[in-house]
Amino acid sequence: MEQRPPNAETGARVLVVDDDPTVAEIVTGYLDRAGYVVDRAGDGPDALARAAAHWPDLVVLDLMLPGMDGLEVCRRMRGRGPVPVIMLTARGDEDDRILGLEVGADDYVTKPFSPRELVLRVESVLRRTRPAPAASGLLRAAGLSVDPAARRATKNGVELALTVREFDLLAFFLRHPGRVFAREELMREVWGWDFGDLSTVTVHVRRLRGKVEDDPARPRIVQTVWGVGYRFDGEG
């Protein structure tokens, strides 16, 4: 598999996967004008083949693809290596959005959407994949170790497979142990959005617990403060 080139302010490779040629053409045009190198695929097998030939920095992936749907494409890509994914959903149905987030999408956009908004979402996700300054230092608590510069996280010395947003969320919690954050605050501080679907935060917290808790059904590290939000317990 071809290794990914380092992310740059522009020139990052984006794979657009959509079976609607009009949507794919519009999205490709906006991303191209924004300075990205864009590959296009019209179905799941084509997307996997193109990703294998030129590993993307990010994938814009339609949920409702013919044959192999976007969820399966996302699973298979993640099986080959880490890659940020923005899922396109044809409906505003919450189940669709949650399915995309549960399988590991870093963000989602509901059709019909503004191509300019999509470009901003791409920029936001890619920005968070870039290494942090080395001065950020290691973050450690509750058997967890997070290296923001290398974007690497471990639990009891075992590396964790985290998505972009899961990593950002864990790093944020480690920087603010013992403090309770409402979902609105987490969306603003971690996602950088002043508005959005708060179920995005809920799903990411649930996925993160599945990777850092000994018993996700009885979380001790990322605790729910009922009626308020979430608190990271550094002693958990």
Side-chain angles (χ1 to χ4, degrees), residues 160-183:
L160 298 172
L162 301 178
T163 67
V164 173
R165 299 296 189 186
E166 289 165 0
F167 182 93
D168 293 340
L169 186 59
L170 180 59
F172 182 81
F173 278 138
L174 262 72
R175 290 189 178 101
H176 304 89
R179 180 177 166 185
V180 180
F181 289 94
R183 292 188 299 169

Side-chain angles (χ1 to χ4, degrees), residues 5 28 43 57 63 74 91 101 122 124-125 127 158 177 218:
T28 297
D43 56 37
D57 292 291
L63 177 65
C74 186
R91 301 185 300 276
L101 295 171
V122 168
S124 173
V125 173
R127 191 181 308 120
V158 178
R218 295 176 175 82

Side-chain angles (χ1 to χ4, degrees), residues 42-43 49 66 69 86 95 112 121 132 135 137 140 151-152 155 166 180 190 192 212 223:
D43 56 37
D69 65 19
I86 296 178
D95 289 343
R121 296 289 183 97
R140 292 192 177 95
R151 293 194 67 86
R152 182 172 181 265
K155 178 183 177 181
E166 289 165 0
V180 180
V190 178
V212 305
Q223 299 181 357

Side-chain angles (χ1 to χ4, degrees), residues 5-183:
N7 285 339
E9 193 65 26
T10 56
R13 184 180 293 275
V14 178
L15 174 60
V16 176
V17 188
D18 199 305
D19 64 319
D20 185 330
T22 301
V23 172
E25 184 175 348
I26 292 172
V27 170
T28 297
Y30 270 81
L31 290 170
D32 180 69
R33 287 191 289 275
Y36 295 101
V37 177
V38 186
D39 290 333
R40 282 173 54 178
D43 56 37
D46 188 21
L48 295 174
R50 289 178 182 274
H54 300 284
W55 192 248
D57 292 291
L58 181 142
V59 181
V60 176
L61 179 60
D62 187 18
L63 177 65
M64 302 298 290
L65 292 171
M68 184 190 301
D69 65 19
L71 298 177
E72 182 61 24
V73 174
C74 186
R75 290 189 190 98
R76 295 195 186 191
M77 282 191 178
R78 286 278 165 75
R80 297 182 179 184
V83 60
V85 173
I86 296 178
M87 196 77 78
L88 302 180
T89 63
R91 301 185 300 276
D93 184 65
E94 185 176 7
D95 289 343
D96 284 345
R97 299 197 299 270
I98 290 177
L99 272 174
L101 295 171
E102 288 284 12
V103 81
D106 297 282
D107 199 356
Y108 70 87
V109 176
T110 303
K111 295 180 180 180
F113 57 85
S114 161
R116 291 180 180 178
E117 177 192 355
L118 178 59
V119 171
L120 291 175
R121 296 289 183 97
V122 168
E123 291 173 353
S124 173
V125 173
L126 283 176
R127 191 181 308 120
R128 291 178 179 274
T129 67
R130 299 186 185 114
S136 297
L138 291 176
L139 304 168
R140 292 192 177 95
L144 298 166
S145 177
V146 171
D147 184 345
R151 293 194 67 86
R152 182 172 181 265
T154 61
K155 178 183 177 181
N156 298 327
V158 178
E159 187 157 3
L160 298 172
L162 301 178
T163 67
V164 173
R165 299 296 189 186
E166 289 165 0
F167 182 93
D168 293 340
L169 186 59
L170 180 59
F172 182 81
F173 278 138
L174 262 72
R175 290 189 178 101
H176 304 89
R179 180 177 166 185
V180 180
F181 289 94
R183 292 188 299 169

